Amino acid sequence: MSTKTIISTDKAPAAIGPYSQAVKTGNMVFLSGQIPLIPETMEMIEGGITEQSQQVFKNLTAVAEAAGGSLNDAVKVNISLTDLGDFAAVNEVMASVFDEPYPARACVQVAALPRGAMVEIEVILAL
């Protein structure tokens, strides 16, 4: 029988729907997708894809730390973009966040994201 631990921190945006910021089971932590909301105000960060990606990774870092890990424990990253033309800019931000060896990753273009975000990223950690 598997046990689940819910991970929550006020250093990342509160869930805007019926989900948890992250769920830990065994040594795996599944971080919900984050959009570029500022935790204190729940407003979108100003700027373009670089600023939005940086905020998303700040949010994910906070949740990873609340789970007892870091983004360097990531084994899988899923990125959703509203414009694949932003792929290179997101790659630059990601390269500044993760150390090698990098996690596995998928990146897809979607029609729209919550609150008009340009990017949403979810992560799976192995602690």
Side-chain angles (χ1 to χ4, degrees):
M1 190 164 156
S2 176
T3 60
K4 295 189 300 187
T5 302
I6 302 304
I7 307 299
S8 182
T9 179
D10 60 2
K11 295 180 181 175
I16 57 174
Y19 60 90
S20 301
Q21 288 175 328
V23 176
K24 181 178 181 182
T25 182
N27 71 332
M28 303 299 293
V29 184
F30 300 84
L31 282 66
S32 291
Q34 288 284 333
I35 59 173
L37 295 175
I38 300 167
E40 298 81 10
T41 64
M42 292 298 287
E43 298 294 326
M44 294 283 276
I45 193 158
E46 292 185 19
I49 191 63
T50 297
E51 293 81 9
Q52 286 202 12
S53 298
Q54 290 168 336
Q55 183 64 49
V56 167
F57 280 117
K58 283 182 191 174
N59 296 343
L60 290 165
T61 295
V63 177
E65 290 173 353
S70 78
L71 288 185
N72 282 314
D73 295 311
V75 294
K76 181 71 190 310
V77 176
N78 292 318
I79 302 173
S80 297
L81 298 172
T82 57
D83 182 354
L84 276 179
D86 293 331
F87 187 78
V90 174
N91 274 345
E92 284 184 37
V93 175
M94 186 172 165
S96 74
V97 172
F98 291 94
D99 294 330
E100 291 188 51
Y102 299 123
R105 182 183 81 181
C107 184
V108 298
Q109 180 171 314
V110 297
L113 290 167
R115 305 247 181 124
M118 298 174 178
V119 59
E120 180 174 357
I121 302 173
E122 63 179 283
V123 175
I124 300 172
L125 308 176
L127 303 181

